[in-house]
Amino acid sequence: MPINRVYLENFRLFKKKDLILSEDKNFIQGLNGSGKTSVLESIDMLVNSKSFRTIKSKECINHKADSFQISLKGSFMNQEARMQCSNNTNGRLSFSRKLNNKSTKSNAILFLQTVLAKNLRMIEGEPDLRREHLNNLMFHVKPSSYKKYTAYNKALKQRNRCLKQKLDKSEILIWTEQLAALGVSLSKEQYEFFNRYKDTLIKSLKRSSAEQKLNFLEEAEVKFVKGWERSKSLLNAMQETVDKDLAIGYTSQGPHRMDCIYYIKGKKASSILSRGQLKLLILLIFLINHDLINSFAESDTVLLIDDLGSELDLENLEFALSEISKAPNQVILTGIKGEELEKIVSNFSNFKRINL
C-alpha cells in the first residue's frame, strides 16, 4: 500500500520530523501554525515537483538553514518506492524517484490528489479549477494526451505572440491552421476521457443519493464544453474571432478553454446547492476518482485533504468523514486539535491520529 513514512529536514518550520503513516486513513492534528499543511505540501512536492503554496521553492527552507531535504517511502503495487527532494539557497530543486531501486517518473508510482480550500470551490469557481482537475486525471491514465496537450500549448503560445505583436493576418493564419489541427486532436482526447469520467461519476453519485438519502444529489449531471461553438469547426471559429483575438491579445477559442459544468435537476449546481452541499459534492468527486483511475489500470492513489473542519458544518462533516473512512485508498487528513473534526475522527477506528 502507499506512503509509509515521510521525513522532513529544515522544511518550513520543521528542523527534523519523521512521520510514520498508516496505509489506510491518517489524521494529522495540531494547533494553528504547527505545520499540518507543510506536511501535505512536502508530499505534494515530492510527487508533483512543485509547491502548492509558492512558486519559489526556496521559501520552503527553514529560516535557520540554507537547504532542505524531504523524502517518503512506500509500497506501491507491491513494489518498494522511494522519493527524495532537496533544495538550497543557491540551487534548484533536485529529485530522486525510485521503484524497486530503479529510477522512474512519479506518475508511474502513484496518483496523488490534494484537496485545499480552493479545490472545494471547484464547481462554482473559475473554469481553470475544473479544467485542471479533469486534465490531471486524463494525463495520468492517458500519458499520450499530455504530449498532445504540450504540443498544442507550444503552438498556442506562438499564435498568442503573433496576436500581441499585431502581426499581419496572413502570418497569424499559419499558426491558426497549425493550432486548429492540434486542437481538434486534443479536444477529441478530452471528450473521450470526459465520457468515462461522467459515467463513473454519475453512477457513484446515484448510488450515494440512494444509499445515504442525499436528495440534493438526485438527477446529478455533468456536461462537456469543448471551448468553442459546437456548430463550427475549430479552424472556422478561430478565423471568425481573429479580430477579437487581436484586440485582446490572446486566443479565445480552443480546447484550452474546455470546461465541464455540473447540474442538479437540469439547473447549474452552483446556483441551487448550498455552499456546504457544493463542498460535499466536490469531496465525493475526489473520492470517486479512485474508481475512475482504476477503471483504466490497477493503480494506487493517495488523497490529501487539508483542514476539512474549517470548510464544512457539523452535519456535512460527519457525513464526509463517514465517506472518507470507507474510501479504498490511503487518505491523509489534517485538522486543528480540539475542534469538531478531531472529535468525529475518534468515532472511526481506521484513522491513525498523528500529533504535531
Side-chain angles (χ1 to χ4, degrees), residues 1-5 72-76 79-83:
M1 288 298 290
I3 304 169
N4 318 113
R5 192 170 188 172
L72 67 77
K73 297 178 182 179
S75 176
F76 299 92
Q79 300 181 79
E80 183 185 67
R82 294 173 179 262
M83 297 187 189

Side-chain angles (χ1 to χ4, degrees), residues 129-147:
L129 291 170
R130 297 183 291 277
R131 191 157 45 239
E132 181 182 23
H133 177 250
L134 200 70
N135 278 336
N136 285 343
L137 290 165
M138 181 178 71
F139 296 157
H140 182 75
V141 298
K142 300 182 71 176
S144 61
S145 66
Y146 183 71
K147 294 180 181 179

Side-chain angles (χ1 to χ4, degrees), residues 200-201 204-205 283-293:
T200 303
L201 177 66
S204 296
L205 291 180
L283 187 62
L284 288 173
I285 290 170
F286 276 95
L287 290 169
I288 290 164
N289 286 340
H290 171 85
D291 295 335
L292 174 67
I293 293 294

Side-chain angles (χ1 to χ4, degrees), residues 10-43:
N10 293 322
F11 187 85
R12 296 290 187 181
L13 60 83
F14 296 108
K15 187 173 182 181
K16 287 186 179 181
K17 194 69 178 178
D18 197 0
L19 301 173
I20 307 299
L21 301 177
S22 163
E23 65 181 27
D24 195 1
K25 308 296 179 287
N26 298 269
F27 177 55
I28 300 175
Q29 62 183 22
L31 301 175
N32 278 324
S34 60
K36 301 181 298 298
T37 302
S38 296
V39 174
L40 302 190
E41 179 187 21
S42 70
I43 297 171

Side-chain angles (χ1 to χ4, degrees), residues 332-344:
I332 304 172
L333 175 70
T334 69
I336 297 174
K337 186 175 178 62
E339 294 195 347
E340 290 296 335
L341 180 60
E342 180 189 3
K343 298 174 185 177
I344 300 172

Side-chain angles (χ1 to χ4, degrees), residues 44-242:
D44 193 278
M45 182 181 287
L46 283 160
V47 177
N48 294 320
S49 303
K50 60 183 179 180
S51 165
F52 57 63
R53 298 167 82 180
T54 177
I55 60 173
K56 297 179 180 179
S57 59
K58 293 180 179 64
E59 292 179 1
C60 299
I61 301 172
N62 186 286
H63 70 281
K64 293 183 179 180
D66 56 12
S67 65
F68 73 72
Q69 179 178 321
I70 52 177
S71 62
L72 67 77
K73 297 178 182 179
S75 176
F76 299 92
M77 305 304 296
N78 300 314
Q79 300 181 79
E80 183 185 67
R82 294 173 179 262
M83 297 187 189
Q84 293 183 333
C85 171
S86 61
N87 198 3
N88 60 63
T89 53
N90 298 315
R92 295 182 178 181
L93 283 171
S94 174
F95 292 94
S96 171
R97 300 182 177 104
K98 295 184 177 181
L99 200 58
N100 277 355
N101 215 31
K102 294 182 179 179
S103 295
T104 187
K105 297 179 180 179
S106 62
N107 61 5
I109 299 178
L110 81 157
F111 181 70
L112 181 75
Q113 297 184 99
T114 303
V115 182
L116 308 171
K118 69 172 185 177
N119 301 107
L120 291 174
R121 297 191 299 271
M122 182 175 74
I123 290 178
E124 77 272 31
E126 293 299 314
D128 289 352
L129 291 170
R130 297 183 291 277
R131 191 157 45 239
E132 181 182 23
H133 177 250
L134 200 70
N135 278 336
N136 285 343
L137 290 165
M138 181 178 71
F139 296 157
H140 182 75
V141 298
K142 300 182 71 176
S144 61
S145 66
Y146 183 71
K147 294 180 181 179
K148 292 184 178 182
Y149 175 84
T150 301
Y152 175 83
N153 273 281
K154 285 182 179 178
L156 179 64
K157 288 179 181 178
Q158 291 289 349
R159 187 177 191 267
N160 286 347
R161 187 176 293 114
C162 293
L163 293 169
K164 289 176 182 176
Q165 293 174 353
K166 309 293 185 185
L167 297 183
D168 187 82
K169 288 182 181 180
S170 61
E171 294 183 66
I172 295 173
L173 179 61
I174 296 172
W175 286 109
T176 300
E177 291 175 339
Q178 182 176 335
L179 186 62
L182 292 167
V184 168
S185 180
L186 174 60
S187 184
K188 182 179 178 182
E189 291 268 8
Q190 290 173 332
Y191 184 63
E192 288 177 353
F193 177 76
F194 168 81
N195 283 326
R196 287 280 291 270
Y197 170 82
K198 174 183 176 180
D199 288 346
T200 303
L201 177 66
I202 299 306
K203 286 178 184 177
S204 296
L205 291 180
K206 283 182 178 178
R207 186 168 59 249
S208 293
S209 175
E211 292 176 357
Q212 305 298 333
K213 297 181 180 179
L214 298 177
N215 295 332
F216 72 89
L217 291 179
E218 289 180 356
E219 299 179 43
E221 185 59 85
V222 58
K223 296 182 181 180
F224 182 80
V225 180
K226 64 180 182 179
W228 71 95
E229 191 176 325
R230 283 182 175 274
S231 63
K232 298 176 181 177
S233 71
L234 179 54
L235 180 59
N236 285 341
M238 287 182 173
Q239 289 174 328
E240 289 180 10
T241 57
V242 67

